[in-house]
Amino acid sequence: MTAQKNSRDLQFDFARHIRDPENAAPPEDVEDRRMAIYRDLFYNNIQGFLANNFPVIRKLYPDERWHALVRDFFVRHRARTPLFPELPREFLQFVEEQRGEEHGDPPFLLELAHYEWIELALSLDEAEIDSIDVDPDGDLLEGVPVRSPLAWLLTYRFPVHQIRPDFQPQHAPEQPTHLVVYRRRDDKVRFMSVNAVAARLLQLLDDQPERTGRIQLEQIASELNSADPGKVVAAGRQVLEDFRTREIVLGTALN
């Protein structure tokens, strides 16, 4: 029992030191040269993986601040899964739940992290659009448009798709940013910026999936208090056709 306890304590000492070498002593009787190999190996693997999955955030942060951010994640976050592809989601949860407001972090950090994570999340989604029975050439006004389960509507306070080292807004604009991230049959993930009306249309396709395209667009015209609902419907039809071309809308429901 004593040997097992000592072995367990050794493992905890080892892990604590690997996570936070400045504040946690290494296990006794372990040569520092050997511990340095593990310190570098673990940290560099995590740091490199995060840099690859959050390339914009990495570019925004000078080296010192970037490594401080990664080390903060490494020290404080307790991952819920051992799977490496889930590491970006763990980092996103850390930023959302644990990071808090740290000096030097941009106000859009959480939204940008989510935007950069979403591409991986959609690429790993197990849904398949080929198995959905639709009429791919159906009338999107008179029929019931079927939205792809691999088309996600995202709304952000900041224009996250435009953020780069020379464009870092410190205050959210008055109008939110609406984006659609979608995966086509070729498994490529793409992003599309849409206006508030197109975003509302996608929302209605989710909320009222049994309604025809015309009814959906007439509701939008009513919400806009449009003096000419026909124009809204005509413009909306073009939006639906564009969605179909991109495989955001797959066609119409079969009778």
Side-chain angles (χ1 to χ4, degrees):
M1 291 299 293
T2 301
Q4 292 178 355
K5 182 177 184 297
N6 289 339
S7 175
R8 180 176 180 274
D9 289 344
L10 178 64
Q11 292 179 46
F12 276 103
D13 289 344
F14 177 87
R16 277 191 291 265
H17 180 70
I18 291 296
R19 284 181 179 273
D20 192 6
E22 292 189 3
N23 298 299
E28 296 180 1
D29 300 328
V30 178
E31 185 181 358
D32 186 67
R33 178 182 62 85
R34 296 189 177 186
M35 286 302 305
I37 294 174
Y38 289 103
R39 286 196 300 264
D40 293 343
L41 178 64
F42 277 84
Y43 177 79
N44 288 335
N45 279 342
I46 297 295
Q47 185 278 139
F49 197 78
L50 291 177
N52 287 334
N53 281 273
F54 298 93
V56 178
I57 294 177
R58 178 63 185 97
K59 289 179 182 178
L60 299 182
Y61 276 67
D63 286 349
E64 183 178 352
R65 282 177 50 207
W66 167 253
H67 288 291
L69 172 62
V70 175
R71 180 61 69 179
D72 192 25
F73 166 70
F74 205 48
V75 170
R76 290 204 283 157
H77 186 69
R78 294 298 179 264
R80 300 171 177 85
T81 170
L83 301 178
F84 233 63
E86 294 293 330
L87 183 62
R89 182 166 65 93
E90 297 285 350
F91 180 76
L92 176 62
Q93 290 175 339
F94 162 73
V95 172
E96 182 175 16
E97 300 171 4
Q98 296 169 279
R99 176 67 173 177
E101 295 184 4
E102 292 286 338
H103 178 71
D105 285 347
F108 50 77
L109 176 61
L110 176 57
E111 290 192 340
L112 181 57
H114 184 273
Y115 173 70
E116 295 207 87
W117 164 77
I118 205 73
E119 181 174 359
L120 175 64
L122 186 55
S123 68
L124 296 176
D125 193 289
E126 295 182 354
E128 294 290 343
I129 58 179
D130 286 333
S131 62
I132 300 175
D133 291 330
V134 297
D135 179 356
D137 301 315
D139 189 321
L140 295 174
L141 277 188
E142 307 310 327
V144 175
V146 177
R147 177 175 161 180
S148 168
L150 296 175
W152 301 348
L153 176 63
L154 311 172
T155 298
Y156 299 106
R157 295 170 55 244
F158 286 88
V160 290
H161 61 306
Q162 297 176 344
I163 290 173
R164 55 188 184 275
D166 60 349
F167 178 68
Q168 300 186 49
Q170 296 304 299
H171 301 283
E174 292 184 4
Q175 299 300 321
T177 292
H178 303 288
L179 301 172
V180 182
V181 55
Y182 58 101
R183 196 177 88 200
R184 294 169 56 97
R185 286 182 172 84
D186 60 7
D187 285 332
K188 292 183 179 179
V189 176
R190 294 173 171 84
F191 291 83
M192 176 186 184
S193 176
V194 297
N195 61 27
V197 175
R200 176 59 174 156
L201 175 57
L202 285 173
Q203 184 181 40
L204 288 175
L205 294 182
D206 268 352
D207 296 343
Q208 303 170 161
E210 74 287 350
R211 293 188 173 186
T212 67
R214 182 181 297 279
I215 293 176
Q216 306 278 29
L217 292 168
E218 287 175 347
Q219 177 173 334
I220 291 176
S222 176
E223 293 173 354
L224 294 173
N225 293 318
S226 173
D228 190 348
K231 285 187 177 180
V232 175
V233 172
R237 180 170 195 158
Q238 294 180 348
V239 172
L240 285 170
E241 290 293 353
D242 184 38
F243 285 165
R244 173 155 54 187
T245 299
R246 297 173 186 268
E247 297 178 0
I248 296 171
V249 167
L250 303 178
T252 58
L254 300 175
N255 293 329

